[in-house]
Amino acid sequence: MKFKAALQSLQTYEAGKPIELVVREFGISANEVIKLASNENPHGCSKKVQQCVAQKLASMHLYPDDSFYQLKEALGAKHKVDTSQIIIGAGSDQIIEFAIHAKCAKNDGILMAGVTFAMYEIYGRIAEAKIIRTKSSTHNLSEFTELYKQHSPSIIFLCVPNNPLGESLKVSDIQTFLKQINKECLVVIDGAYQEYATFKDEEMRISVAEFIRDFPNVLYLGTFSKVYGLGGMRVGYGIAQQEIIQTLYKLRPPFNITTLSLVAAIEALKDEEFIKYSLQDCFTQMKQYEDFCRQRGIRYIPSFANFITLFLDGLGDSTTLAQKMLEKGVIIRNLASYGLNAVRITIGTKEQNQRALSLMSALL
């Protein structure tokens, strides 16, 4: 059977390995497996969210409110935007797909950093767009500007903080860059890890309302999968000028998140104390990794997210390290598929981090 030609050379997205797989393959007890590969909140989600979802279980047979009125009201209040400027997705990556299909025709350009979230390219290539990457792995805005002038892309992706590397951009630098971009070019600012960046450095804080007011070609993305601890619920959102949102809605299937996902997201926004604790603990625990790297001369990227990227220059092979740690029940992310001899490690609890670092020290 023949399929779309663009799919022939397309690599499947490599998700972090689930705990169940490690249990099956290596015979390790599930409670001995540590998953530090997918940037989930190690503290789970708010207990208030769990209680709220449990109370809603009897309503699982009912479709959710497809207007997502309550969730949009809460997000609108949080970001100081009108609800007509918000779209809800099954994870923010669904909205990435909407944006690319809405904007890109065959051979239209999509500009992104040299190493960034893989789904930008995957969805782009499905749409038969031209993928344009900077030479630098991280977000080098001088290179972005040069490539923009050279190729006039239809979409630009700025992942701030960047997944899988962890670096970010100052808001002032993003604003300077956006002033050079034609209003017909859609600029997607992927803020999946924005809560972490903002907590660490106020200069990274993106005021969504100001951005979409001053730059009508900006689409901002957020998610409940990271600091809110709802990765398993799959809820993301996009915020932009009403014209952009109305266009994206034409691609949105009905009831694209579940009844329980909707309840969880609404409740998660209310528990600010849980979010503050999660953010504080993340950067407290991250110091263990930074100290480990400095003591052993391991190069790393100072992270503005809930993970850290370590380069194994001359210290070993990332594929071998990730596999050996996997066999011992510690799941980390190998970045060999990005052309890097590096691993990305989610910041876990104190005990999880100590175990991961002890094992890594022995293996290296």
Side-chain angles (χ1 to χ4, degrees):
M1 183 181 292
K2 291 185 178 180
F3 293 97
K4 198 172 185 179
L7 297 177
Q8 292 179 4
S9 61
L10 193 63
Q11 297 293 317
T12 303
Y13 178 77
E14 182 187 343
K17 289 181 172 58
I19 291 174
E20 293 79 4
L21 182 146
V22 179
V23 172
R24 288 195 304 269
E25 287 196 2
F26 305 109
I28 302 171
S29 172
N31 59 14
E32 295 179 354
V33 179
I34 298 173
K35 187 182 180 189
L36 301 177
S38 299
N39 306 336
E40 295 134 333
N41 187 332
H43 303 292
C45 68
S46 160
K47 285 185 172 56
K48 295 178 181 178
V49 171
Q50 296 175 36
Q51 294 165 0
C52 195
V53 170
Q55 293 169 5
K56 199 70 175 179
L57 289 175
S59 301
M60 283 193 295
H61 64 294
L62 299 175
Y63 287 113
D65 170 12
D66 195 49
S67 72
F68 305 134
Y69 174 79
Q70 285 183 282
L71 179 55
K72 286 184 178 180
E73 282 285 318
L75 286 169
K78 174 181 173 64
H79 292 290
K80 298 180 175 60
V81 298
D82 191 82
T83 56
S84 65
Q85 298 174 309
I86 303 171
I87 184 171
I88 305 300
S92 55
D93 47 340
Q94 186 179 45
I95 302 170
I96 293 167
E97 184 180 18
F98 294 164
I100 289 175
H101 284 299
K103 187 64 179 170
C104 286
K106 186 175 182 179
N107 295 323
D108 281 354
I110 300 178
L111 175 57
M112 63 191 76
V115 174
T116 192
F117 186 42
M119 294 311 299
Y120 306 153
E121 178 172 355
I122 290 174
Y123 287 136
R125 290 180 64 184
I126 291 171
E128 300 184 83
K130 179 182 178 182
I131 306 302
I132 307 160
R133 290 183 180 273
T134 61
K135 290 183 180 179
S136 298
S137 297
T138 55
H139 284 68
N140 184 317
L141 290 181
S142 295
E143 292 180 25
F144 267 87
T145 301
E146 182 180 340
L147 290 170
Y148 166 75
K149 292 177 179 177
Q150 182 180 345
H151 296 282
S152 298
S154 293
I155 300 182
I156 298 172
F157 280 99
L158 299 178
C159 190
V160 286
N162 188 20
N163 177 24
L165 298 182
E167 93 285 353
S168 197
L169 292 169
K170 291 182 179 180
V171 168
S172 57
D173 292 335
I174 299 174
Q175 291 169 326
T176 299
F177 172 72
L178 290 176
K179 290 175 183 176
Q180 305 172 70
I181 306 303
N182 186 286
K183 296 302 180 284
E184 285 302 312
C185 176
L186 178 65
V187 180
V188 179
I189 297 178
D190 190 341
Y193 300 89
Q194 255 295 304
E195 289 88 356
Y196 294 97
T198 297
F199 183 85
K200 184 175 182 179
D201 188 341
E202 190 66 25
E203 289 188 306
M204 306 293 177
R205 180 185 294 276
I206 292 176
S207 171
V208 178
E210 290 180 15
F211 262 69
I212 68 170
R213 180 197 67 204
D214 297 342
F215 305 103
N217 56 328
V218 162
L219 169 63
Y220 177 86
L221 304 179
T223 184
F224 287 86
S225 296
K226 306 307 174 185
V227 72
Y228 290 99
L230 297 178
M233 288 294 195
R234 309 303 299 128
V235 187
Y237 59 92
I239 302 177
Q241 290 280 356
Q242 191 173 348
E243 178 190 11
I244 294 174
I245 297 301
Q246 288 176 340
T247 300
L248 297 183
Y249 253 91
K250 295 179 180 180
L251 291 97
R252 186 190 74 92
F255 311 114
N256 59 321
I257 67 170
T258 72
T259 298
L260 298 183
S261 298
L262 180 57
V263 170
I266 293 168
E267 193 65 28
L269 285 171
K270 299 176 184 177
D271 197 346
E272 296 180 1
E273 185 177 338
F274 172 78
I275 301 305
K276 183 178 179 181
Y277 167 74
S278 296
L279 293 168
Q280 179 67 65
D281 190 62
C282 171
F283 289 108
T284 297
Q285 299 306 322
M286 191 181 292
K287 292 175 183 177
Q288 292 187 64
Y289 290 93
E290 294 171 340
D291 291 343
F292 176 86
C293 289
R294 283 191 291 266
Q295 291 165 7
R296 289 161 178 77
I298 298 174
R299 181 165 64 96
Y300 70 95
I301 294 178
S303 178
F304 289 87
N306 67 336
F307 57 84
I308 189 166
T309 299
L310 279 57
F311 294 88
L312 304 184
D313 313 322
L315 295 171
D317 174 69
S318 64
T319 301
T320 301
L321 176 64
Q323 180 62 28
K324 288 186 175 181
M325 292 189 70
L326 183 68
E327 292 170 5
K328 296 293 185 181
V330 178
I331 312 171
I332 62 173
R333 186 65 182 269
N334 176 22
L335 299 185
S337 61
Y338 290 88
L340 301 174
N341 185 26
V343 293
R344 186 194 70 189
I345 306 175
T346 305
I347 307 302
T349 63
K350 182 178 180 180
E351 294 74 18
Q352 289 173 337
N353 297 326
Q354 288 175 343
R355 181 176 161 194
L357 288 170
S358 176
L359 179 58
M360 192 183 310
S361 180
L363 292 172
L364 288 176

